[in-house]
Amino acid sequence: MAFDKGLAQRISEELSERTDVVEKKMFGGLCFMVSGHMCCGIVGDRLMARVKKENYDKYLSETFASEMDFTGKSLKGMIYVSAEGLESDNELRKWVQRSLEMVRSLPPR
């Protein structure tokens, strides 16, 4: 599966000040690893955002957000954000920051 290279560039720019980011192809798309943890990624033209489980339902209720069901069943803590919800840099930044918040809550690797 191909992924949106323009979105990949925008996410790379959002994470450009960090020295602990690795891009890895997975899920048929591209994943951004931060400090050894999956942070966010791209599947097709959608952002795959990893969020804290306590915020999952709240974030899922936002426009353009949907359950990540890559395996056929919902993955709690993972949210797809459609391309329409990422048109502005502020919207993309919001979702990337939410994913970084999740990574910061995890033990170091």
Side-chain angles (χ1 to χ4, degrees), residues 49-96:
R50 185 174 184 193
V51 299
K52 288 183 163 185
K53 289 186 181 181
E54 60 264 25
N55 295 326
Y56 178 76
D57 290 328
K58 177 175 71 169
Y59 294 161
L60 195 55
S61 70
E62 292 186 20
T63 307
F64 306 115
S66 62
E67 293 179 331
M68 182 181 172
D69 58 357
F70 186 78
T71 61
K73 70 182 216 182
S74 170
L75 296 172
K76 190 120 175 145
M78 302 294 284
I79 294 177
Y80 279 143
V81 183
S82 67
E84 296 86 1
L86 304 169
E87 290 176 354
S88 79
D89 290 339
N90 286 337
E91 285 299 310
L92 176 62
R93 184 174 300 116
K94 173 182 75 176
W95 284 104
V96 170

